[in-house]
Amino acid sequence: MQADIIDGRALARQVLAEVAEGAKMLDRPPGLAVIIAGDDPASHVYVRTKVKRAEELGFLTEKIQLPADCGEARVLEEVAKLNARDEIDGILVQLPLPADINTLRVMAAVDPAKDVDGLHALNAGRLTQGSGGLIPCTPLGCMKIIKSVIPDLTGSHAVVIGSSNIVGKPMAALLLEEHATVTQCHIHTRDTKFVCRGADIIVSAVGKPGLVNADWIKPRAVVIDVGTTRVPKADGSGYTLKGDVDFDEAVKVAGAITPVPGGVGPMTIACLMENTLTAAKMRKEAKENEWPVLS
Ligand code: NAD
């Protein structure tokens, strides 16, 4: 029996509709600022889509474009200016940054209350404690996708392949919060295939097309493919996006599976909008009650 193919675009539309409703409750539109340094073509495509989606929702939107050789001090200066502006609720620094810039230092400079990518250590720490805060958009989107097919994850065995700060680690933390038994695999894991074969849920966030084959997947398991690798087309006419999973074979074994494109990607953007709204609401509430936001 063929797996259900999860429609990430349809789920994203639902999230965006909820965000649009939520934004009506505020006295001003949520504000999202994106900083991009350098000219990585894929990053520019992502930023364009993020800004467009925010504009469609009527958010205040700002894009700060810096040259590749701008240096860390300039990025930190822009972050500080945005931290100080009341009408900006969310600050996103598009990654990867140019190689001479220390990403962790930049993340640490973003006001945690405006950290819509959930990468500040305070938000990462809160996630591992299950005590609120802003959650990285891609794992947040993956969790919504998983819960659309398995509403209660208690006791399921979930395997996360990949352990980056932006996807793998927060994904594992979120699954743990939902009472799944979580195994995290990475480049040094000895037998990822063996581990995956016991999983009810596989989330692959690696960036290696074809890594996850049909024989890695337990029959009827839920397979979430985060991987997005740009592979040049044979005729030289541009690129196609490939996930980590051998979709054509995996779809014959899995119970539900996300496609690439049209799976996790649209949910990541929708969750960025949700996080911007969450940040705006948290900041408004804190201001009204004169309590600190996320300290
Ligand atoms: P990363 O390079 O920071 O991390 C990759 C992880 O994969 C590492 O933990 C590494 O140990 C692990 N890994 C590498 N080879 C492996 C192997 N053979 N077996 C098991 N683990 C292995 O990447 P990232 O930023 O976490 O992104 C991962 C992928 O997800 C990329 O393709 C990226 O483009 C994609 N991505 C997609 C979205 C989206 O919205 N769809 C968002 C973020 C990232």
Side-chain angles (χ1 to χ4, degrees), residues 71-273:
E72 187 173 314
R74 177 71 201 283
V75 177
L76 292 173
E77 187 187 311
E78 294 298 336
V79 167
K81 280 196 247 169
L82 293 169
N83 282 345
R85 283 174 54 192
D86 196 40
E87 73 282 17
I88 298 296
D89 299 291
I91 302 170
L92 183 139
V93 183
Q94 183 65 35
L95 302 180
L97 284 165
D100 60 316
I101 298 178
N102 183 320
T103 303
L104 285 178
R105 225 164 16 224
V106 172
M107 293 306 126
V110 174
D111 178 346
K114 298 186 177 188
D115 169 36
V116 282
D117 241 350
L119 288 173
H120 190 286
L122 187 89
N123 283 311
R126 284 199 170 227
L127 176 58
T128 61
Q129 290 184 339
S131 59
L134 292 161
I135 296 167
C137 309
T138 302
L140 184 58
C142 290
M143 184 49 88
K144 288 181 195 288
I145 293 174
I146 294 167
K147 292 195 84 174
S148 76
V149 284
I150 315 179
D152 182 5
L153 303 188
T154 309
S156 352
H157 181 206
V159 173
V160 180
I161 318 176
S163 57
S164 66
N165 287 339
I166 193 157
V167 191
K169 283 182 197 153
M171 186 72 245
L174 277 177
L175 286 159
L176 195 59
E177 272 305 296
E178 292 291 329
H179 312 297
T181 300
V182 185
T183 310
Q184 185 131 42
C185 298
H186 46 75
I187 187 88
H188 302 296
T189 302
R190 291 218 177 89
D191 194 346
T192 305
K193 171 179 166 180
F194 173 78
V195 179
C196 285
R197 282 172 72 102
D200 305 304
I201 300 157
I202 298 174
V203 180
S204 185
V206 174
K208 290 195 174 154
L211 176 76
V212 180
N213 295 308
D215 64 350
W216 287 35
I217 300 168
K218 185 167 93 172
R220 311 302 299 153
V222 173
V223 179
I224 309 295
D225 193 351
V226 181
T228 44
T229 305
R230 280 153 58 100
V231 179
K233 286 185 188 165
D235 62 5
S237 67
Y239 294 86
T240 43
L241 267 195
K242 290 270 179 210
D244 292 344
V245 179
D246 178 352
F247 182 87
D248 293 341
E249 293 305 313
V251 77
K252 297 176 191 162
V253 183
I257 186 167
T258 57
V260 177
V264 173
M267 282 298 275
T268 295
I269 310 242
C271 287
L272 172 64
M273 302 306 132

